[in-house]
Amino acid sequence: DVKVTQSSRYLVKRTGEKVFLECVQDMDHENMFWYRQDPGLGLRLIYFSYDVKMKEKGDIPEGYSVSREKKERFSLILESASTNQTSMYLCASSPSGTNEQYFGPGTRLTVT
Amino acid sequence: GQQLNQSPQSMFIQEGEDVSMNCTSSSIFNTWLWYKQDPGEGPVLLIALYKAGELTSNGRLTAQFGITRKDSFLNISASIPSDVGIYFCAGRASGTYKYIFGTGTRLKVLA
């Protein structure tokens, strides 16, 4: 079974803090993705990576950065958290061949 | 960013009834995926479709890739209480890694 894990299920941070969200997949997938999910807006792509050290901006990259130093790990970084970044963050991975995306359980981030 | 039009937005049904939902797009897609999401959890992949006209089943679930390549359908037969959740479609065009997601259909099953 494909396993995508995220470092925290729930996280509470203060405005201005630097926040790291970690995602690890154990299936040797080439592609990894970070989304945020908000009521009424669905899933929106923040960043994705198709190889180690490679990254591309998604639809809403502002305020976020990412890091992929190893194939199995993709980190999302909020350099200075703001209240409008309160959301559910979902990581996904996919092999380059089948293109099926598998999601982690999500991290619900609250910025106060 | 672009989003798919998914309908209905929500539905209440009686246990044992069949359910249908669909997604439409203004763009042509090469892949359609259907997911289910339980509260507080990540989406779980149900069915993947790769070819126009393709009909694929997973237990009581059946999904179809529309012939126009701009739509997809999901049917659930003989619904049970654990079918409750949000169902999402996602479509991907050729030459891109990016999926476009529908806004979800919230399903509630009345026992």
Side-chain angles (χ1 to χ4, degrees):
Chain A
D1 277 354
V2 176
K3 185 103 173 160
V4 180
T5 57
Q6 295 183 229
S7 51
S8 304
R9 294 298 301 273
Y10 300 94
L11 210 51
V12 179
K13 295 291 182 181
R14 293 197 179 275
T15 301
E17 280 192 80
K18 189 169 186 176
V19 182
F20 292 87
L21 302 183
E22 305 284 345
C23 175
V24 177
Q25 50 94 3
D26 66 357
M27 287 303 293
D28 202 37
H29 287 173
E30 288 78 12
N31 305 322
M32 296 188 75
F33 306 80
W34 274 107
Y35 294 89
R36 64 177 283 176
Q37 183 177 29
D38 300 289
L41 297 177
L43 276 73
R44 294 180 291 167
L45 181 64
I46 304 171
Y47 268 97
F48 68 99
S49 168
Y50 51 90
D51 202 351
V52 175
K53 297 190 185 295
M54 305 302 288
K55 61 186 179 185
E56 283 199 26
K57 294 179 180 179
D59 297 319
I60 51 164
E62 296 78 18
Y64 303 94
S65 61
V66 290
S67 172
R68 192 165 181 203
E69 296 296 319
K70 293 184 178 181
K71 191 175 186 179
E72 67 270 19
R73 187 180 297 270
F74 192 36
S75 303
L76 180 69
I77 303 154
L78 288 66
E79 294 289 341
S80 178
S82 63
T83 55
N84 63 11
Q85 292 178 311
T86 292
S87 186
M88 173 72 134
Y89 289 88
L90 292 164
C91 174
S93 72
S94 75
S96 58
T98 65
N99 301 303
E100 298 168 7
Q101 287 195 11
Y102 297 89
F103 284 87
T107 296
R108 185 163 294 282
L109 172 68
T110 302
V111 183
T112 61
Chain B
Q2 180 189 358
Q3 286 193 322
L4 299 177
N5 183 25
Q6 186 171 349
S7 64
Q9 288 187 349
S10 64
M11 53 195 313
F12 285 84
I13 59 168
Q14 292 285 340
E15 184 177 358
E17 286 184 351
D18 296 344
V19 175
S20 293
M21 59 191 78
N22 68 82
C23 276
T24 58
S25 168
S26 57
S27 305
I28 290 176
F29 289 136
N30 282 9
T31 305
W32 283 97
L33 305 178
W34 282 93
Y35 291 89
K36 182 191 177 205
Q37 185 175 26
D38 292 325
E41 302 292 332
V44 174
L45 183 64
L46 300 173
I47 293 177
L49 302 161
Y50 298 104
K51 189 176 175 182
E54 180 181 354
L55 193 70
T56 298
S57 293
N58 177 6
R60 294 178 295 106
L61 278 63
T62 302
Q64 184 164 23
F65 194 139
I67 292 175
T68 66
R69 293 181 170 268
K70 293 184 177 181
D71 53 13
S72 182
F73 310 88
L74 177 70
N75 296 309
I76 305 172
S77 62
S79 58
I80 59 178
S82 62
D83 290 334
V84 165
I86 303 177
Y87 292 80
F88 289 99
C89 62
R92 187 186 67 88
S94 65
T96 177
Y97 296 100
K98 291 172 60 173
Y99 275 92
I100 308 299
F101 284 81
T103 50
T105 293
R106 184 181 297 273
L107 180 64
K108 299 185 181 182
V109 180
L110 305 173

